[in-house]
Amino acid sequence: MRQRRLIAGATAFGLITGAGVLTLPAAQADGPSVLLNEDFEDGSFTPLTLNGGSALSVIDADGDKALLVQGRANDYDGIRTPAGLLQAGGAYTFSAQVRLSAAAGTTTSARFLVEPAYTWVGNTTVSADAWTTVTGTFNAPAGADPATLRAYLGTGDLGAPYDYLIDDIVITGTAAPGDGGAWQPTPDPAFVPGGAANPTATPVTAARGTGNAVALTFDDGPNPGETAAVLDLLRDKGITATFCIIGQNVEAAGGADLLRRIVAEGHTLCNHGTSYDDMGPWTQSQVEADLKENLRIIRRAAGDPTLEVPYFRAPNGSWGATGDVAAALGMQPLGLGNVIFDWDGNDLSEATLIANLRRAFTPGAVVLAHDGGGDRSNTVRAVTTVVGEKLAEGWTFTLPGGGAAPAPVAVTSGFETGTDGWTARGDGVTVATSSDARTGSGSLLVTNRTQPWHGAALDVTAGLPVGVAVEVSVWARLTPGQAPASLKVSVQRNNGGGSAYDGVAGAGATVSADGWTQLKGTYTLGAAADSAQVYVEGPVGLDFLLDDFSLAPFAEKPIQTDVPGLKDVLGADGIEHVGVAIDARETVGTAADLVRRHFNAFTPENAGKPESVQPVEGQFAFTQLDQLLDFADANDVQVYGHVLAWHSQTPAWFFKDGARELTNSPADQALLKARMKAHIKGIADHIDARYPEGNSPIWAWDVVNEVIADGDTANPHDMRDSRWFQILGEGFVDEAFRLADRYFPEAALFINDYNTEMPEKRADYLDLIRALKARGVPIDGVGHQAHVDVARPVQWLEDSIEAVEALDPALLQAITELDVNASTENQGADVSGAPADPYSPAFEDDADAAAEVGYYYRDLFAMLREHSASVESVTFWGISNARTWLRTWPMARPWEQPLPFDDELQATPAYWGIVDPSRLPARPADVLPPRIADQTDIAAVSNGASGAKVAYTLPSAIDTLDGVVPLVCAPASGTRFPVGTTMVTCTATDEAGNTRTSSFDIVVTRKQAGKR
């Protein structure tokens, strides 16, 4: 104990995130209780556990005991709390004493981190000179998983491994209001869960797969006679089954050998208790003790202390509390399914059991037979007969639902003997084998493509288990005579009547006819899909060859836990919502860890767009959106909805009456308004039904998106001539906001657009917003997409933010789709347009490009922090550089590094530009020319043939390093311009000598005679 020698340290740092449920007696729920108090005076650090690779020992220090952490090499090296200590909805205070075991004057930082979101709590400077208190508070969200909610002590880097001391660790907490706490297992740091993926307390009774598939299960073994015979049969037939194991039978003569054979031959294990005792009336603690003991028996016999036993089946089908306990211990309860009544007291004749087993074989059934518990020889005979029959009929054998995640099936295609299952994607497309091969003698030729998404596709449903990262690779080559062009690999996943389309991260490249190019990337299926196919796509009309395709598991690198969360850093600076665009891929695995660690909000990248939500009139498809909302609910993350009305990714039926295109007639306007209402109301009705108490995580909506054109139009405010505008005029924006306000009264309602930092588009955007305000339209906020590049001046975006602040200080502002490209071109973000191709990298060296992007983020966020009073939210458009849309749009751009995390989800210079610019690498040489704002053409009228003097305002010219730079335009302002069109060329040069030119026209017309 060293309570008298404390030095005041940290206050709370960060706060909301994480997971857990506090198990407290009801009488204690109103006040905090001491959950853990460890002073190491007994020479032990139990129940704390080792975290990382350092060595732990209790030593004498300053007159009493302390824990020495030796060889700390990583942030997480030290100690960790046991599973189940922290609970969902709980409020906690952490405290510990820390002192470095190092030279006098040495300092670093220490803090608690709470998994799985790795939330920093109580970040504090600690030293070798005295004991420092590290303390802070943490609120766990409701609905989180206590098994993954664990805290550890993290420490800062000193450049080499070092030692430090810990003492007086105290954790106090209270349960969520009114929550007595759900039952949780006894904290046991040595316990290894059963291995089921997301087990539930409800017993599963259906098999995996579709059609004539069953899950064959055997209870009460292992039994030396019958189990061996069953294993012989299964081996000979090439099928696998699930065996529900009783511990006392494993410990009987021959039992351990049979268990090892079951495991060695690829069968799945199920915990059936240590004995035949009925667990139905048992307490949770009794069940817990028995199931843990049986796991110990099974694993000891198998010689594998972490062996997966992903299922549990209650003896005699008597469940009681067993389902809850099994799920909490990592085992999926397995229902009886279709039984064959092969236990004592029934007719156990061979003929009867054969008849019973035939009846039990129904598509998708779990079938239960016994290989132990008595003489089961007739069961073995019945299984032998019926399994043989069913195999001949084409039945397949699979696992029960739930349980362990299925291993991905490696998929390869060499096209040596045919198309290997690849099919044409799109009407008229042809796929055929070709002798022009990269390896071997065959490849796949794809021709007659008339849409970008046309190509060749392969069903890979079996190769994409949920949450398992896979690497996808295929080699491509264009047919002779074609210019180089970009190809990419994508995945279509079908679920609930709707389809989603995902790019395979990194699998895009420029391909030529001169040689083979590899398209290689990674993909993770985020949620269960009815089916999934991989396909290769590219520009219309392109013919290409494919060869040497493979899809195989990929080991992901863990996220960094020794860097602060973006949401914590920016939240402390006043930016409330720190978000990221995601789809289902980011709700599982390492990407989900990164979301939980760094973000407190997200935007559905595609799942909320009109074509995803209502692909056919009146047929709403919410599966994709619900998958994301499930993730938001489980992790206490808010959602920025995107998007209710947009010109792109909106089905054509919105704007048609049958085959007829709608016009601006009153009848057609009424029809389109009704469709807009039905669409917005349909989404709202679904959200209201899902959240009847009004606790939806959706805090904001993009009501309309990209309504301003990039150049001059004949429409008011230079509005985009979209189908919405053509039919309803400017009023479609008003209508969308009024409907959104009616059906989403609690959400903040935003208008959103790209290039809002460009001076001319800024003026049009503000004009429209000013008009909406004047008409009383219920607009709450203004979105700036901020798809920018390293040469686009931050000052222009600040000018736009300040202009909105001046227009109405009450308007919220959001950076909605942030990324920073490093290309020489930036054609904006109009995915429906035709931007310039090719782009090219602004830097020869990728490391230089990454560094410059980091400096851009430094300057950008320094500006945003100055405007945190109005900037409510910042959303990054993608979880990582591998997932950025810029890598494949409008062509392959592998050099792009526009986001804070790299292809492996590690921090980039962009991250450090936001969090700690002192850690940026040296800035590269200045190779970026200044940026000159676009200038529209100027019209003038001459009274005579000599032309007219025209004065014009010089456009803005800014360099990212040098600021405002001189601009020279010729002919100069005030020059007499002749009748006709004269090009004005403007030139800006920065201090490094980089030069940019831009131009605009002055058009002089002669006044007609007799006109005044």
Side-chain angles (χ1 to χ4, degrees), residues 914-981:
I914 301 167
V915 172
D916 183 2
S918 69
R919 297 189 61 171
L920 285 170
R923 193 163 193 171
D926 183 4
V927 298
L928 302 173
R931 189 57 57 85
I932 304 172
D934 292 338
Q935 172 79 25
T936 56
D937 295 342
I938 297 172
V941 177
S942 169
N943 288 323
S946 61
K949 285 187 176 182
V950 179
Y952 56 82
T953 302
L954 293 179
S956 170
I958 299 178
D959 183 75
T960 51
L961 271 76
D962 304 330
V964 176
V965 295
L967 183 69
V968 177
C969 296
S973 175
T975 299
R976 180 175 294 278
F977 287 83
V979 174
T981 299

Side-chain angles (χ1 to χ4, degrees), residues 278-293:
D278 182 353
M279 296 184 184
W282 287 11
T283 66
Q284 293 159 325
S285 296
Q286 289 174 310
V287 175
E288 176 187 13
D290 190 88
L291 297 191
K292 284 184 173 180
E293 174 61 14

Side-chain angles (χ1 to χ4, degrees), residues 822-825 839-846 849 891 893 895-896:
S823 293
T824 55
E825 297 283 341
Y839 281 47
S840 60
F843 293 84
E844 292 183 0
D845 183 79
D846 286 346
M891 53 169 285
R893 294 155 66 182
W895 61 84
E896 296 293 8

Side-chain angles (χ1 to χ4, degrees), residues 1 95 104 173 261 502 879 1002:
M1 300 286 290
S95 178
R261 182 180 171 190
D502 307 323
I879 190 72
I1002 292 182

